[in-house]
Amino acid sequence: MESALPAACFLYWVGAGTVAYLTLRVAYSLFEALRVWGVGNVAGVGPGLGEWAVVTGSTDGIGKSYAEELAKRGMKVVLISRSQDKLNQVSSEIKEKFKVETRTIAVDFTSEDIYDKIKTGLAGLEIGVLVNNVGMSYEYPEYFLEIPDLDNVIKKLININIVSVCKMTRLVLPGMVERSKGAILNISSASGMRPVPLLTIYSATKAFVDFFSRCLHEEYRGKGIFVQSVLPFYVATKLSKIRKPTLDKPSTETFVKSAIKTVGLQSRTTGYPIHSLMGSINSILPSWMYFKITTGLNKSLRARYLKKNKKN
């Protein structure tokens, strides 16, 4: 009987220690959630980092909302996208609404010979924020070898989703390092968190953006540069083909207002509280379950698309 007492005492303290540890973890998680999603870093992004913000893919969706939010905070904005007509329209809207200076650079990010033109357009500007937003996905989920015009799709996805991030960073980062301040916000995707079958190339390119951002942040945070990887789930955009915002699929305006407050607080973020919860659940799912759910969903979307478009 006496010999059982030390064992019982040991188990008691193990149990008490476990409860205390879990309590502290929960308390810390709640504190972090309040700090990030409740308070946020409202003053973290603005002209104090530099006069100008540069946003790629800035005429629609998340890119346009980042451009508007940065202009609202008093930053001058360089809008970079493919269509000069759309650029002119968005530029006029921002000038009229926020009373800030804008510039436009019309380039097609599927090409690789555009960066000298961008470099010339950015020459002499004090750039405090770069938003690498331009991106491309599949038209619909598809098996790798069955993607229509596969070679061209490979080239486009790599140029738009990977090369643009590296090249734009190469152009803007030296000035930030020289001034010891700046923020680079790279828009990845929840599809870059874990592999997504039937969106293979897109998922892989967005994983690259995430890893690139995290590595760059560690390399340059000691030099005053904050690099953020933004990994949203679905947002109501043309790219996602979602028209009506919901609680878990916010409008681009709602998403960006939330995401921009995480700059300086989270170098890797989903940008939105509901997406943060979804990301936590996503990360703890066993691989077999995750792949079963994800593959099944994309097979269903593929079948629906092919049926609608009468493809075999």
Side-chain angles (χ1 to χ4, degrees), residues 236-287:
T237 65
K238 288 183 179 179
L239 185 67
S240 66
K241 299 180 174 66
I242 297 171
R243 296 180 181 179
K244 187 176 180 181
T246 60
L247 182 62
D248 64 322
K249 302 175 184 67
S251 67
T252 57
E253 294 83 4
T254 298
F255 174 78
V256 168
K257 283 180 181 178
S258 172
I260 206 163
K261 291 194 293 184
T262 68
V263 177
L265 298 178
Q266 292 183 317
S267 61
R268 189 173 190 252
T269 182
T270 59
Y272 183 65
I274 303 298
H275 289 185
S276 179
L277 178 60
M278 293 165 66
S280 297
I281 295 170
N282 181 54
S283 67
I284 62 174
L285 284 177
S287 291

Side-chain angles (χ1 to χ4, degrees), residues 165 169 173 184 186 211-221 225 227:
V165 174
T169 300
L173 185 58
I184 298 175
N186 294 326
F211 272 56
F212 177 80
S213 304
R214 291 157 69 185
C215 291
L216 205 67
H217 179 71
E218 292 301 320
E219 288 181 15
Y220 287 94
R221 65 177 180 171
I225 314 303
V227 182

Side-chain angles (χ1 to χ4, degrees), residues 137-269:
S137 185
Y138 291 17
E139 186 176 359
Y140 64 96
E142 184 57 280
Y143 294 93
F144 178 70
L145 291 179
E146 296 179 32
I147 298 171
D149 195 15
L150 177 57
D151 288 339
N152 194 36
V153 169
I154 292 172
K155 181 180 179 181
K156 284 184 176 180
L157 279 165
I158 291 175
N159 281 343
I160 294 175
N161 294 356
I162 293 179
V163 174
S164 72
V165 174
C166 297
K167 290 280 194 176
M168 290 302 302
T169 300
R170 172 67 183 89
L171 291 177
V172 171
L173 185 58
M176 292 181 173
V177 171
E178 185 178 338
R179 293 180 292 107
S180 298
K181 57 183 176 179
I184 298 175
L185 315 181
N186 294 326
I187 312 305
S188 179
S189 165
S191 296
M193 291 180 180
R194 300 180 75 169
V196 182
L198 278 77
L199 290 178
T200 299
I201 310 171
Y202 177 73
S203 177
T205 60
K206 288 303 183 178
F208 173 90
V209 173
D210 181 39
F211 272 56
F212 177 80
S213 304
R214 291 157 69 185
C215 291
L216 205 67
H217 179 71
E218 292 301 320
E219 288 181 15
Y220 287 94
R221 65 177 180 171
K223 301 179 184 294
I225 314 303
F226 187 87
V227 182
Q228 185 180 64
S229 174
V230 185
L231 303 105
F233 283 79
Y234 285 118
V235 177
T237 65
K238 288 183 179 179
L239 185 67
S240 66
K241 299 180 174 66
I242 297 171
R243 296 180 181 179
K244 187 176 180 181
T246 60
L247 182 62
D248 64 322
K249 302 175 184 67
S251 67
T252 57
E253 294 83 4
T254 298
F255 174 78
V256 168
K257 283 180 181 178
S258 172
I260 206 163
K261 291 194 293 184
T262 68
V263 177
L265 298 178
Q266 292 183 317
S267 61
R268 189 173 190 252
T269 182

